């Protein structure tokens, strides 16, 4: 599984890096995002709604993303 | 070719007629209205006329009004004044930071909001609850269905925040205090107005000796300018509402053509002059700087533009994208050309940033 370590990066870089990585994924692919930026969790909810990709929080700073 | 620029930040210039009044107001209203003497008597007369005018336009009784110099202080005068040790404070997840600050020293229930920014009430009333209720939100313009929320929450006491909605939205049927800001009707920013419906439940939260209700007062020349600005805005309310709504409709329509743009709330249930939009994969601070280079000023709720690097709690509570956010406010003087110029600059900025 592909992983993105965005810890230490501030908004909007974690989501920008996620978007770039997702553009190289196929439908059903899983990706693990690590981010400790306080804006990431709420932004992932909106990003999921807008893109249709699924976001499953694993911990407060790790998120499993599934491409639609 | 004339370069089109424009101010779309939340602060607006003082109404031109209020600005013109200020010089004569400083000449006529310098004395202390509470003292004896001719100048003070004249000042007292001017003060009473201003308060009566403000009260009539806000549809409250003049005797209910207190004025003071800093609207931010008003949240204590409005909300803390209704609270006791046993009180349960109920407020929404999209309320002002001043309310969250007051909530730190109280038992608190936070009401969630839906994606449109509507507060979701709760049917678990507390016998000593005090509801802090913002009539319209300053970041999104979303107007709350206050009567329904009050019916759901069934609070003992209600502190209304009308600092954004001003005269544009009628107060709900039930309330104990209502806070207004002169800036919401293009009056001077340094004038706060508090309406106290019933003095029996209101306790001055500030240190005081005098028996006077608050012992505070707004500086008279500014109060006079505020009263005139309110009078002018109310006299043009219908035309101005329509004009602003048309401009904001055009803004929202054009923004929705930009890919991956997340617009907060619905215009039909919002104040007509505020638009909050977020652009996926864009940096809010960079958008603001780019627009500024083109001569356009806007606000942002993105984390990168805030002092504490926290995203807007309002956008987060509504589950709206918090990064790449801009907040566009249409004012009385805003023209169609300015709006179109801003939208062209914003669109090209977003395309450039995503490239």
């Amino acid at each position: 599984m592909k992983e993105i370590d965005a810890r230490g990066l501030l908004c909007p870089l974690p989501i920008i890096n996620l978007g770039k990585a997702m553009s190289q994924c196929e439908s059903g692919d899983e990706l693990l995002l690590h981010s400790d930026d306080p804006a990431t969790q709420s932004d992932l909810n909106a990003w999921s709604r807008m893109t249709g990709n699924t976001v499953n929080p694993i911990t407060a700073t790790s998120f499993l993303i599934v491409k639609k | 070719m004339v370069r089109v620029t424009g101010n779309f930040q939340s602060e607006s210039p003082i109404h031109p007629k209020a600005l013109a009044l200020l010089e004569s107001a400083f000449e006529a209203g310098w004395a202390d209205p509470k003292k004896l003497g001719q100048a003070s008597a004249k000042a007292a007369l001017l003060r009473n006329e201003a308060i009566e005018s403000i009260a009539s336009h806000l549809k409250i009784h003049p005797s209910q009004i207190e004025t003071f110099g800093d609207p931010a202080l008003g949240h204590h005068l409005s909300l803390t004044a209704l609270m006791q040790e046993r009180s349960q404070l109920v407020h929404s997840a999209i309320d002002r930071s001043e309310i969250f600050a007051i909530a730190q020293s109280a038992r608190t229930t936070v009401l969630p909001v839906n994606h449109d920014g509507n507060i979701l009430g709760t049917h678990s009333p507390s016998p000593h609850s005090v509801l802090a209720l913002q009539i319209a939100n300053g970041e999104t313009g979303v107007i709350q269905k206050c009567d329904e929320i009050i019916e759901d929450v069934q609070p003992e006491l209600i502190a209304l925040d009308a600092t954004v909605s001003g005269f544009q939205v009628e107060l709900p049927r039930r309330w104990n205090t209502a806070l207004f800001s002169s800036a919401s009707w293009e009056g001077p920013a340094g004038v706060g107005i508090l309406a106290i419906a019933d003095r029996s439940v209101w306790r001055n939260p500030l240190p005081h000796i005098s028996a006077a209700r608050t012992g505070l007062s707004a500086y008279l020349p500014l109060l006079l300018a505020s009263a005139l600005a309110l009078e002018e805005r109310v006299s043009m309310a219908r035309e101005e509402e329509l004009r602003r709504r048309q401009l904001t409709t055009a803004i929202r329509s054009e923004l929705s053509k930009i890919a991956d743009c997340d617009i907060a709330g619905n215009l039909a249930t919002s104040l007509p002059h505020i638009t909050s939009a977020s652009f996926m994969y864009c940096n809010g601070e960079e958008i603001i700087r780019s627009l500024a280079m083109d001569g356009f000023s806007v606000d942002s709720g993105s984390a990168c533009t805030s002092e504490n690097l926290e995203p807007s709690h309002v956008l987060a509570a509504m589950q709206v994208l918090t990064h790449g956010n801009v907040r566009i406010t249409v004012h009385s003087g805003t023209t169609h050309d300015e709006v179109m110029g801003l939208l062209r600059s914003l669109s090209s900025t977003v395309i450039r940033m995503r490239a």
Side-chain angles (χ1 to χ4, degrees):
Chain A
M1 186 192 310
K2 191 168 184 178
E3 285 194 38
I4 301 174
D5 187 358
R7 284 171 290 199
L9 297 180
L10 295 176
C11 160
L13 287 174
I15 302 290
I16 289 176
N17 291 352
L18 173 63
K20 285 178 182 168
M22 292 300 283
S23 67
Q24 294 164 11
C25 291
E26 303 291 331
S27 179
D29 282 357
E30 293 184 338
L31 189 152
L32 196 57
L33 170 70
H34 303 284
S35 170
D36 51 8
D37 180 70
T40 296
Q41 187 145 14
S42 61
D43 258 8
L44 281 175
N45 292 330
W47 179 83
S48 172
R49 170 176 51 79
M50 294 172 74
T51 62
N53 299 314
T54 306
V55 176
N56 298 305
I58 307 297
T59 68
T61 58
S62 295
F63 308 89
L64 178 66
I65 317 291
V66 183
K67 176 134 179 175
K68 74 165 179 180
Chain B
M1 185 174 159
V2 178
R3 186 177 182 224
V4 178
T5 61
N7 168 42
F8 294 91
Q9 290 181 321
S10 58
E11 296 79 14
S12 71
I14 187 171
H15 191 282
K17 289 194 178 175
L19 185 62
L21 172 82
L22 268 178
E23 188 173 344
S24 58
F26 276 109
E27 279 178 10
W30 53 268
D32 185 343
K34 294 190 288 293
K35 290 185 176 176
L36 297 175
Q38 193 176 16
S40 290
K42 190 177 173 184
L45 191 64
L46 290 170
R47 178 184 176 280
N48 292 344
E49 285 175 357
I51 286 180
E52 282 175 15
S53 173
I54 289 171
S56 73
H57 291 308
L58 297 180
K59 298 177 182 168
I60 48 184
H61 194 274
S63 66
Q64 296 176 319
I65 284 188
E66 292 287 336
T67 67
F68 44 93
D70 184 355
L73 176 66
H75 295 288
H76 283 289
L77 294 169
S78 175
L79 177 58
T80 311
L82 298 181
M83 294 182 62
Q84 300 180 48
E85 205 167 314
R86 65 184 183 183
S87 296
Q88 174 86 20
L89 173 59
V90 182
H91 69 89
S92 83
I94 57 170
D95 221 319
R96 286 179 174 274
S97 57
E98 289 92 337
I99 304 301
F100 280 87
I102 292 170
Q104 286 180 339
S105 53
R107 292 187 301 122
T108 304
T109 300
V110 179
L111 302 175
V113 296
N114 62 19
H115 180 55
D116 288 331
N118 303 124
I119 297 171
L120 304 173
T122 169
H123 289 280
S124 53
S126 158
H128 305 297
S129 60
V130 179
L131 174 64
L133 183 54
Q134 192 181 34
I135 295 175
N137 185 270
E139 284 193 43
T140 62
V142 173
I143 301 169
Q144 299 301 331
K145 294 173 182 167
C146 293
D147 282 318
E148 289 180 20
I149 295 165
I150 291 167
E151 183 67 26
D152 280 347
V153 175
Q154 296 181 29
E156 182 185 9
L157 300 170
I158 303 158
L160 297 175
D161 177 357
T163 54
V164 177
S165 52
F167 71 90
Q168 298 179 87
V169 183
E170 283 203 13
L171 301 185
R173 290 188 292 274
R174 229 190 104 203
W175 55 276
N176 296 93
T177 59
L179 180 65
F180 299 87
S181 170
S182 161
S184 70
W185 52 75
E186 295 175 2
V191 178
I193 291 156
L194 176 68
I196 302 170
D198 174 7
R199 185 164 180 185
S200 68
V201 295
W202 188 90
R203 292 171 184 79
N204 189 348
L206 305 176
H208 59 282
I209 295 173
S210 162
R213 201 160 45 181
T214 66
L216 302 173
S217 57
Y219 186 45
L220 182 54
L222 298 183
L223 184 66
L224 299 177
S226 174
L228 180 61
L230 178 57
E231 195 177 312
E232 290 295 323
R233 280 298 315 279
V234 169
S235 72
M236 296 291 290
R238 195 165 294 177
E239 298 91 322
E240 189 59 22
E241 150 99 20
L242 184 63
R243 200 186 66 82
R244 291 182 183 206
R245 202 165 282 281
Q246 284 172 341
L247 288 175
T248 301
T249 300
I251 290 170
R252 288 184 177 232
S253 171
E254 290 301 310
L255 291 180
S256 65
K257 294 175 187 169
I258 301 174
D260 295 328
C261 171
D262 200 11
I263 301 175
N266 295 311
L267 180 56
T269 52
S270 299
L271 293 174
H273 62 292
I274 300 173
T275 305
S276 175
S278 304
F279 301 93
M280 194 187 289
Y281 306 135
C282 292
N283 181 307
E285 183 181 3
E286 287 179 24
I287 295 177
I288 287 182
R289 289 186 189 282
S290 173
L291 294 178
M293 294 283 281
D294 287 342
F296 298 102
S297 306
V298 299
D299 295 308
S300 173
S302 291
C304 51
T305 63
S306 70
E307 286 177 11
N308 59 5
L309 294 178
E310 290 281 339
S312 156
H313 68 280
V314 174
L315 299 179
M318 292 171 66
Q319 299 209 346
V320 171
L321 211 59
T322 66
H323 72 261
N325 177 261
V326 294
R327 189 165 61 251
I328 300 167
T329 307
V330 168
H331 299 290
S332 290
T334 305
T335 66
H336 185 264
D337 283 350
E338 288 173 348
V339 166
M340 290 301 122
L342 169 71
L343 293 170
R344 278 193 298 274
S345 175
L346 183 54
S347 177
S348 62
T349 295
V350 169
I351 290 168
R352 190 172 64 247
M353 288 177 70
R354 285 176 176 165

